[in-house]
Amino acid sequence: MSSDTRVPSAEPGSEPGTTEVDAYHGLELYRRMLLIRRFEERVYLVYLQGEIPGTLHQYQGQEAVAVGVCDVLRRTDWITSTHRPHGHALAKGVDLRAAMAELYGKATGCCGGKGGSMHLGDPSVGMLPAIAIVGGGNTVVTGLGLAFRLMHTDQVAVCFFGEGASNEGAFHEGLNFAAVQHLPIVFACENNLYGASTPFHLTSLVPDVAARAAAYGVRGEIVDGMDVLAVREAAGRAVADARAGAGPILLELKTYRFAGHSRGDVRGYRSREEEALWKGRDPIVRIRERLALTLAEDVLDATDAGVEAALDDAIEFARQSPLPRAEDALTDAYATVISREPTP
Amino acid sequence: MTPGTPPAKGGRRLNIAEALREAIAEEMRHDEKVFLIGEDVGVPGGFGGAFGVYLGLTEEFGHERIIDTPISEKAIAGAAVGAALMGMRPIPDLQYSDFLFECMDELVNQAAKMRYMSNGRLSVPMVLRCPVGTANRGAQHGQCPESYFVHVPGLKVVCVSDAYHAKGLLKSAVRDDDPVIFFEHKLLYGSKGREQAGGMDLTAYVPEEEYLFPIGRAVVKREGTSVTVVATHMSLYRSLAAAEELARDGIECEVIDPLTLLPLDEETIFASVRKTGRLVIAHEDTLTGGWGGELAARVAEECLFSLEAPIRRVASHDVPLPVAPVMEQTVVPSVARIKAAIQSCCGG
Ligand SMILES: Cc1ncc(C[n+]2csc(CCOP(=O)(O)OP(=O)(O)O)c2C)c(N)n1
Ligand SMILES: [Mg+2]
């Protein structure tokens, strides 16, 4: 595999907005999804070995959403993310080594060890530090869109959030304001059925978040979030419309998180049958099966091996990287340090 | 046993999570107007609240009084305020104190002001439990926002650090006729935080029989004559550790847990300062605008001529919280920093 550990952000092999992607492009989508899946699985193992501080909210099962949406974005477009940002970060092109090192709390991490798992991000690839306040991105993203318009760029911003966040006032205020201002924004709601332990049906009489778009005069669309090509197709249209001044659009991507809400969640609030049903729709298995119709098995296997090698490299990089210096904690609160000399 | 005196022995050892659970269960049995409302509090097979404090309560009290909500802090706090105005005694839950900022209006503009605006005819009896403190969770999941609320007339602010006082104070808070913001430190709940809390034993004796501990009373955790140290939460335990080390050098610290920050037990603290002539304040909340500044001002106003040295504050540095442990430990008060402040206060 190439030594470039950055996941290429969209260099579309075909026009966004069409379901048809050529085999090479399909393979690239598969590779990115697998990278996220294996990233999460391997991160969990090293977490259990005590190599990663803090907590983890993982993305297994939802890979088609991040990869399908980010595939139709340019590097200059921006995304906002949540407490569950690993997949979004890798899909938007945050450097794999830097993402891994950030989880390890190392100086070489994409936030210098200040952010950690819940705040992955990198302005140079168009990703704000992930916002771990549920609904936090839904209002901030309107400012990104407003700035793009005021600066006469054709950039687009995508706000990722969960169905749980759609019950925050911020979701409603952000969507309404974006609507009335026709901002170039795609609101991408990942409906994985649960907010922590709470099923969505206990918290909303409207089962589809997309239906809420009507209340704000916005187009809302339900998408199979377990099918990367369907996600890519819908996101392609939404992003193109937003770029053309017909935004915002609310996409609801029906998906499922295969892991617990955070580490240590034994998932007592949902049935193993339900989990098995959704695992039967595994987005990575689905695209691999499709690709196997046209690509030789050893091409796919080589891709798998490449992903593993990239992760070996990233973990080794994170392990070998230096810790931040203790005094680095005191910089970056302001552009120039204004706080008084610390007390002992 | 006199209320407010932890038993030397007898009772059972409980951790704070267990003590809080008992307090809530007792109050719910005692008064049918008490109910719980919040995120992930009673879902079957769920978490029993973000830190497991409510586990088992739904089985006893049912979903009518243990109410699971959408992720809607404004609605949770607003519903609590409204129900309290109608005479109920809600216990709303927002999971982490960092999310208090989602419902500042309900707390600061509504809960805190209804009694006053109604010329004393309305009450807002509610208790909002809020986990605070760093635990490698970064800038948006580790803040100690106590001081924001100390600034709000109409609210009461409590910080508990051990199971005995947690239980007694929570029961008093539920029965109090004013809104109480009740801060607990994540690393002090019990077995889970034990390692991160430096292997401390986080259990305390809690009597079998019912007791209340009054809001507005501080406790002296360790008697001493050289210097008064006022500290909460993890800073309290770090101060106690520093005090043990300093005792070897002949510095005898009097360590006080204020327990209630608003209203503050000035009597206990001033008496101690008049005895020792020195004051060190330690908290994990950031320095500038922190409650330690308010306490320092009051001591300066009332006890200046008893002071033999400048008051010293040890607080988190004025930056957001980083996640990397090396940096996090730099930001929050350590035993070493507290010890150095005490030594400098004592002229060492
Ligand atoms: C304002 C706020 N309230 C509560 C939380 C605690 N919390 C973290 S994640 C979460 C569930 C979020 O559910 P959802 O939006 O569906 O996203 P998912 O976890 O399913 O990806 C909750 C309640 C938070 N981080 N921020
Ligand atoms: Mg969800």
Side-chain angles (χ1 to χ4, degrees), chain B residues 51 67 76 101 147 175 218 233 272 296:
Chain B
F51 296 90
I67 302 171
I76 296 165
F101 301 116
S147 304
R175 296 182 192 197
H233 292 155
S272 175

Side-chain angles (χ1 to χ4, degrees), chain A residues 65-89:
Chain A
V65 177
V67 170
V69 170
C70 291
D71 191 49
V72 299
L73 295 179
R74 300 172 185 163
R75 195 183 166 91
T76 49
D77 294 329
W78 284 75
I79 65 168
T80 69
S81 178
T82 69
H83 56 284
R84 196 180 303 290
H86 304 174
H88 304 144

Side-chain angles (χ1 to χ4, degrees), chain A residues 62 83-84 162-165 190-196 198 257:
Chain A
Q62 305 182 208
H83 56 284
R84 196 180 303 290
E163 87 297 332
E190 299 187 61
N191 187 345
N192 60 10
L193 308 185
Y194 295 88
T198 307
R257 74 170 144 70

